[in-house]
Amino acid sequence: MLRMNSVFFAFVLLSTFIPSSSFAQSSSKIQNTSKDTQNASSVISNQNNAIAMLFGEPITLADITPDQDTMSKIRKQAPDNVTQLVTQMRAINLANQIIEGVLSDYASTHNIEVDSDLVEAFKQKFESEYEKNNQKVAAKKDAQQENNELKESVSAEDTASIDEIASTQVERWQIEKHLYNTYGGVVIFEQSNPSMPVEAYLTLMKEYASAGKFNVVDAALAERFWEAFEPPYEFVIAPEDVNFNQPWWR
């Protein structure tokens, strides 16, 4: 299933506390939100209650709460900000689940299939970079095995296959091209996505929400979700400079 290139939802937060591939990052809008966890979850008294619905399936608080390994890292690295960071991560995890589901459905509905030629072009561009990254991860793992004082675990996601990453990135770019050609609107620059059709995303999400395909029940989480797509936008690309004729890596 498609995974959103998450630089759109809190890059610093995820790169610090969540094991991720080079493309698993998130947006500054959610990252910079500093509401207290109690405000974000005040209407939730039971983790089994749905805080959102996606294609008729419930998403619970437990589904979006960081796992124990991540919680341990947070407590170790930022003991004074645990509640704030957990709140942010829950919002990020919820947003990524919704976005992944919506984009997967959109790709299926519009018969968007991964272009194998673009996958090969992506691999040629970045394969050596990922090999170096995987070597560093392997060295880190060896060091951890030799030093019992090193508690931080290495996730399998840190050594994600270049084939998987390339396929995911190509599919996402093809979807975003289709979104822009369909809806137009503002395009912004993001750290790992030079052409993010943010206003097209907003239109798509509103259409899916209006059709009842997803609904964020919790008010605080809903506010966080929608504000990531809404103006004011930073790093806007001039309309005459927007070009989806070629992917950004070519």
Side-chain angles (χ1 to χ4, degrees), residues 82-202:
V82 173
T83 21
Q84 178 183 334
L85 291 171
V86 170
T87 298
Q88 293 172 347
M89 287 184 177
R90 284 172 175 167
I92 292 164
N93 291 339
L94 176 62
N96 284 337
Q97 285 193 37
I98 293 173
I99 292 166
E100 179 179 331
V102 169
L103 292 187
S104 293
D105 182 77
Y106 185 86
S108 176
T109 301
H110 293 87
N111 300 314
I112 299 173
E113 298 182 358
V114 177
D115 187 319
S116 59
D117 290 337
L118 293 182
V119 170
E120 288 304 312
F122 186 96
K123 289 168 60 177
Q124 290 176 12
K125 180 79 172 181
F126 294 108
E127 190 163 17
S128 62
E129 176 185 337
Y130 280 96
E131 287 177 356
K132 291 178 182 178
N133 176 70
N134 289 344
Q135 289 172 1
K136 290 179 181 179
V137 171
K140 179 181 177 182
K141 188 174 183 179
D142 290 341
Q144 289 170 350
Q145 291 173 345
E146 294 173 2
N147 187 349
N148 292 331
E149 294 181 359
L150 292 175
K151 304 296 183 182
E152 203 172 313
S153 64
V154 175
S155 166
E157 293 181 6
D158 288 328
T159 54
S161 161
I162 183 62
D163 296 290
E164 180 182 356
I165 293 169
S167 179
T168 297
Q169 290 302 303
V170 168
E171 183 178 22
R172 185 181 64 87
W173 179 82
Q174 290 179 257
I175 291 171
E176 291 186 345
K177 177 181 180 179
H178 196 284
L179 283 175
Y180 181 74
N181 289 339
T182 302
Y183 300 111
V186 174
V187 177
I188 61 175
F189 174 87
E190 289 283 352
Q191 184 168 343
S192 67
N193 185 358
S195 299
M196 170 72 184
V198 61
E199 203 164 20
Y201 269 103
L202 176 59

Side-chain angles (χ1 to χ4, degrees), residues 172-246:
R172 185 181 64 87
W173 179 82
Q174 290 179 257
I175 291 171
E176 291 186 345
K177 177 181 180 179
H178 196 284
L179 283 175
Y180 181 74
N181 289 339
T182 302
Y183 300 111
V186 174
V187 177
I188 61 175
F189 174 87
E190 289 283 352
Q191 184 168 343
S192 67
N193 185 358
S195 299
M196 170 72 184
V198 61
E199 203 164 20
Y201 269 103
L202 176 59
T203 303
L204 178 69
M205 294 299 159
K206 284 183 175 180
E207 285 188 0
Y208 270 68
S210 296
K213 295 180 179 179
F214 78 86
N215 176 41
V216 183
V217 179
D218 181 87
L221 288 170
E223 181 181 356
R224 286 169 175 263
F225 176 82
W226 289 109
E227 70 182 1
F229 298 101
E230 293 171 344
Y233 302 121
E234 294 183 348
F235 309 115
V236 174
I237 300 174
E240 61 270 19
D241 294 329
V242 174
N243 183 1
F244 279 95
N245 292 327
Q246 290 289 337

Side-chain angles (χ1 to χ4, degrees), residues 19-65:
S20 59
S21 72
S22 297
F23 290 96
Q25 304 157 12
S26 304
S27 134
S28 57
K29 283 195 173 183
I30 290 180
Q31 174 196 344
N32 292 330
T33 306
S34 59
K35 297 178 182 177
D36 189 86
T37 299
Q38 293 180 351
N39 294 333
S41 60
S42 61
V43 299
I44 303 171
S45 59
N46 189 326
Q47 287 194 357
N48 293 323
N49 290 338
I51 47 85
M53 298 294 295
L54 179 63
F55 297 107
E57 296 295 326
I59 298 175
T60 68
L61 189 64
D63 294 330
I64 63 172
T65 297

